[in-house]
Amino acid sequence: MATNIKDVSRAAGVSIKTVSRVLNNERYVRPATRARVEEAMARLGFRPSAAARALAGGRSFQIALMCSNPGPYYLHGLIAGLRGRCAAEGVRLIVHAYDIEGTELSEDVRDMLRQLSPDGVILTPPIADLEPVLDALEAANTPYVRISPGISPGRSAAVAIDNEAAARAVTGMMIGLGHRRIGFVVGHRSYAVSNQRLAGYLDALRDAGLGVDLELVQQGWFDFASGQAAADRLLDLRDPPTAVFASSDDMAAGVLAAAHRRRLSVPGDLSIAGFDDTDLARSVWPPLTTVRQPIAVLAERAAELLFERAEPGLRLVPYELVRRETVAAPGAC
Amino acid sequence: MATNIKDVSRAAGVSIKTVSRVLNNERYVRPATRARVEEAMARLGFRPSAAARALAGGRSFQIALMCSNPGPYYLHGLIAGLRGRCAAEGVRLIVHAYDIEGTELSEDVRDMLRQLSPDGVILTPPIADLEPVLDALEAANTPYVRISPGISPGRSAAVAIDNEAAARAVTGMMIGLGHRRIGFVVGHRSYAVSNQRLAGYLDALRDAGLGVDLELVQQGWFDFASGQAAADRLLDLRDPPTAVFASSDDMAAGVLAAAHRRRLSVPGDLSIAGFDDTDLARSVWPPLTTVRQPIAVLAERAAELLFERAEPGLRLVPYELVRRETVAAPGAC
DNA sequence: TTGAAAGCGTTACCAT
DNA sequence: ATGGTAACGCTTTCAA
């Protein structure tokens, strides 16, 4: 049997309550007593049972990450960003990766909350925008932080970048380089950032006095294959774009693949820009990116807000505009 | 307060022990009684507390995934592969992603085991080969399954593909196409599969009566950047290879990038082959692969073995040899 | 087939 | 500053 709090109290010659105090860093323990207890804990190799602490105390020392259909780089970034802080807080990370959408989810969330009573929850799109899920979280009084929320940003602590401004900036940059026909690949419809990025693109065109050609706006689903397909549709137009702005990095990689397939030189024949949400661009295909804001940074900030019980409100994390050789003036090659 | 087992027992007019029996699917409950209890549980929306069950019963309804420095696709594949079975078994997945190596890890494992007493553990390389970790697991009597173990394969239940045979097959295929100078990018040294794949490559050369030129064997670290660097070194040789076999998919992608940078046509000027451990090749850059065995499949099989308390022993999962247009006869373009 | 009561290892409340 | 003792919600004997 593993040593428990009772063994420690006996070894240290104190009551179990005092051991508990030391364990939880409570006040009103004489330094000498504390030292004695700590020595006993170390000597016996005592590790408190998470189950018992959870049952008695309410804290479960676990936080849950909830995401739906996360791409590899997105998931990796999230976990990388959360890991450090969780370790520092002595908290374990439960990963809930769903592949469903919709309301059945809130049922599952309620279950999870009752079963695990996690100390906190991190939500990513599109789950971050499911009202029933938020309701369940609030009903259970469980702290949660949303990443890139699309609705009611003031409802909880949340982090995001200003997607509309970023998309506007990228589009503006392309226009500034002389591009007049700029293709756009929209992201998955149930993600709010898709609309925000589209809005920024449209805004920039309007600001520049350019008309919007709806042919140039193609639907994608945030993954490589759909980006490639969207690019193919764009490049097959009678009057194809000289530049393509994909609103996610996976899709931008797909656009690049489509260009390579057609033996187009990039950026000579086609300029490509994208969002580097997940660090994909930096690690797998360096010359892709324009807006850089790795999800890991957002996740780290989210963990910070969670553990510090931050007030509700949306924190905008600054993004970085990186200009690489994939975006050039038309006809530059 | 959430409803507990007592509320249910009262509502159903039975003792809490009977509710517990229903909860755990034990025998000796009259169907009528069982139905009554289940109805009450449903009506009250009863969810048993994981903490209480863990404390009283020993089962924690959690399994831990332990990995060190997993790449994005690897991590994603693991989680995707484990998810389904975990959900089916009503078990949560704790992700332990370390970025350290060595023995301090076994200390942490011991802690984790005592604190969480997970129902099972999944180990990936290189943690799967740390004896102290295995010792700790066995001392705690915790079932565990290893993925791609490099040492003592009979020590626990484990899954892997026959890496050596696969590497031999790929190399043989390239030789069969007429290649005589075939570059090889070795994986991270602390991963046993690296040596297995290298052995297969060397074997195939020997079988074909070709000498081994050590210039053609370059070190990589399983990631994109190191694959690109290794390819650059290979292509800068006075007598560069006509084909490159990278022993992981991230590195193969790096080799492809290096080829693109140099405006080499693939497979015209350079043939490329790789392992598709993580489904990267299929999802991000289709024409890369040769050995296909997504980690998700291995993970799924590992979960199966874990939940079925499989006997110790290594299960070889068959791999698939996929020939794509990236491997061509030398000078084909 | 069912039930009563004794744990499981902590934390919380109330004394001292 | 420290110590009893009662929860916490379930599982597990042991009876019936």
Side-chain angles (χ1 to χ4, degrees):
Chain A
M1 223 46 205
T3 71
N4 61 23
I5 200 172
K6 226 164 180 171
D7 301 328
V8 176
S9 74
R10 208 175 301 124
V14 297
S15 76
I16 60 170
K17 176 61 210 181
T18 299
V19 178
S20 173
R21 286 202 177 90
V22 172
L23 210 52
N24 295 287
N25 267 312
E26 287 175 25
R27 288 170 314 177
Y28 304 131
V29 182
R30 264 209 323 244
T33 312
R34 181 181 298 272
R36 203 144 34 89
V37 171
E38 279 169 345
E39 185 275 330
M41 296 201 304
R43 184 156 45 80
L44 275 56
F46 168 67
R47 299 293 156 202
S49 145
R53 300 184 87 176
L55 180 56
R59 291 190 60 186
S60 66
F61 301 91
Q62 302 187 152
I63 71 165
L65 166 66
M66 304 197 31
C67 37
S68 163
N69 281 322
Y73 279 85
Y74 194 79
L75 183 62
H76 185 260
L78 283 172
I79 292 177
L82 297 175
R83 201 176 50 188
R85 192 63 191 258
C86 284
E89 303 274 344
V91 155
R92 316 281 171 181
L93 181 67
I94 314 270
V95 174
H96 282 247
Y98 297 93
D99 49 0
I100 47 173
E101 292 170 28
T103 42
E104 31 182 342
L105 230 163
S106 71
E107 176 65 20
D108 193 284
V109 172
R110 226 181 310 265
D111 279 15
M112 190 271 282
L113 291 177
R114 264 199 286 253
Q115 288 185 207
L116 266 58
S117 54
D119 296 342
V121 174
I122 304 272
L123 261 31
T124 68
I127 299 179
D129 293 338
L130 298 179
E131 306 261 21
V133 171
L134 308 189
D135 293 342
L137 251 7
E138 281 160 26
N141 208 18
T142 303
Y144 68 96
V145 177
R146 291 182 295 158
I147 293 179
S148 307
I151 58 164
S152 38
R155 182 166 175 179
S156 73
V159 295
I161 65 169
D162 188 338
N163 284 286
E164 192 170 328
R168 206 184 302 123
V170 172
T171 310
M173 194 180 83
M174 290 173 136
I175 294 172
L177 285 166
H179 291 281
R180 287 299 168 266
R181 288 184 67 72
I182 303 170
F184 187 81
V185 185
V186 193
H188 195 297
R189 287 202 179 104
S190 58
Y191 291 74
V193 293
S194 298
N195 299 319
Q196 293 162 3
R197 292 173 184 181
L198 176 59
Y201 162 80
L202 295 174
D203 258 21
L205 293 183
R206 196 175 312 123
D207 288 354
L210 296 173
V212 174
D213 184 346
L214 283 183
E215 269 186 344
L216 292 176
V217 178
Q218 293 290 336
Q219 183 69 49
W221 306 101
F222 277 148
D223 63 326
F224 182 89
S226 70
Q228 196 170 18
D232 279 331
R233 290 196 298 274
L234 287 169
L235 296 171
D236 282 337
L237 290 177
R238 244 178 316 137
D239 187 8
T242 59
V244 174
F245 179 18
S247 55
S248 87
D249 39 14
D250 281 291
M251 296 194 299
V255 174
L256 183 62
H260 274 305
R261 283 243 170 130
R262 290 163 184 257
R263 312 253 165 216
L264 295 178
S265 108
V266 176
D269 303 320
L270 184 72
S271 286
I272 302 175
F275 272 81
D276 190 7
D277 293 306
T278 61
D279 237 17
L280 169 67
R282 203 173 49 163
S283 53
V284 166
W285 207 263
L288 267 187
T289 311
T290 7
V291 179
R292 184 168 141 60
Q293 182 48 76
I295 184 65
V297 176
L298 285 170
E300 204 176 339
R301 187 100 174 80
E304 206 177 303
L305 296 179
L306 186 64
F307 288 116
E308 279 157 15
R309 297 276 180 279
E311 293 299 306
L314 178 66
R315 272 78 170 178
L316 282 182
V317 176
Y319 59 87
E320 193 186 338
L321 209 66
V322 182
R323 164 129 181 246
R324 295 224 178 79
E325 68 268 36
T326 35
V327 178
C333 191
Chain B
M1 226 44 205
T3 73
N4 60 23
I5 199 173
K6 223 164 183 171
D7 302 329
V8 176
S9 74
R10 207 175 302 123
V14 297
S15 76
I16 62 170
K17 173 62 206 178
T18 299
V19 178
S20 172
R21 287 203 176 89
V22 172
L23 210 52
N24 295 289
N25 267 311
E26 288 175 24
R27 289 171 314 177
Y28 304 129
V29 182
R30 265 211 319 249
T33 313
R34 181 181 299 273
R36 202 143 35 89
V37 171
E38 278 169 347
E39 184 277 329
M41 296 200 303
R43 184 156 44 81
L44 274 57
F46 168 67
R47 297 294 154 200
S49 146
R53 299 184 86 176
L55 181 56
R59 293 190 57 187
S60 66
F61 301 92
Q62 302 187 151
I63 71 165
L65 166 67
M66 305 198 32
C67 37
S68 163
N69 282 320
Y73 278 86
Y74 194 80
L75 182 63
H76 185 261
L78 282 172
I79 292 177
L82 296 175
R83 202 176 50 190
R85 192 62 192 259
C86 284
E89 302 275 344
V91 155
R92 315 285 173 178
L93 181 68
I94 315 271
V95 174
H96 282 248
Y98 297 92
D99 49 0
I100 47 172
E101 293 171 28
T103 42
E104 31 184 339
L105 229 163
S106 71
E107 177 64 20
D108 193 283
V109 172
R110 226 181 310 266
D111 280 14
M112 190 270 282
L113 291 178
R114 264 199 286 252
Q115 286 185 210
L116 266 57
S117 52
D119 296 343
V121 174
I122 303 272
L123 260 31
T124 67
I127 300 179
D129 293 338
L130 298 179
E131 306 261 20
V133 171
L134 307 188
D135 294 341
L137 251 7
E138 280 160 27
N141 210 15
T142 304
Y144 68 96
V145 176
R146 290 182 295 157
I147 293 179
S148 308
I151 58 165
S152 38
R155 182 166 176 179
S156 73
V159 295
I161 65 169
D162 188 338
N163 283 286
E164 193 171 325
R168 206 184 302 125
V170 171
T171 310
M173 195 180 84
M174 291 173 136
I175 294 172
L177 286 166
H179 291 281
R180 287 299 167 265
R181 287 184 67 74
I182 303 170
F184 187 81
V185 186
V186 193
H188 196 296
R189 288 202 177 103
S190 59
Y191 290 73
V193 293
S194 298
N195 299 319
Q196 294 161 3
R197 291 173 185 181
L198 175 60
Y201 161 80
L202 295 175
D203 259 21
L205 292 184
R206 195 176 313 124
D207 288 354
L210 296 174
V212 174
D213 183 348
L214 283 181
E215 271 186 344
L216 292 176
V217 177
Q218 293 289 337
Q219 183 70 50
W221 306 101
F222 276 148
D223 62 325
F224 182 90
S226 71
Q228 196 172 18
D232 279 331
R233 289 195 299 275
L234 288 169
L235 296 171
D236 282 338
L237 290 177
R238 243 177 317 134
D239 187 10
T242 59
V244 174
F245 178 18
S247 56
S248 87
D249 40 14
D250 281 290
M251 296 194 299
V255 174
L256 184 63
H260 273 306
R261 283 243 169 129
R262 290 163 184 257
R263 311 255 167 216
L264 295 178
S265 108
V266 176
D269 302 319
L270 184 72
S271 286
I272 301 175
F275 271 80
D276 191 7
D277 293 305
T278 60
D279 236 17
L280 168 67
R282 202 173 50 165
S283 54
V284 163
W285 207 264
L288 266 188
T289 310
T290 8
V291 179
R292 182 167 143 61
Q293 181 49 79
I295 184 64
V297 176
L298 284 170
E300 203 176 340
R301 187 98 175 82
E304 206 177 302
L305 296 179
L306 186 65
F307 288 116
E308 279 157 15
R309 297 277 179 281
E311 293 300 307
L314 177 65
R315 273 76 171 178
L316 281 183
V317 176
Y319 60 86
E320 192 185 340
L321 209 65
V322 181
R323 169 139 175 237
R324 294 225 179 78
E325 69 267 36
T326 35
V327 178
C333 190

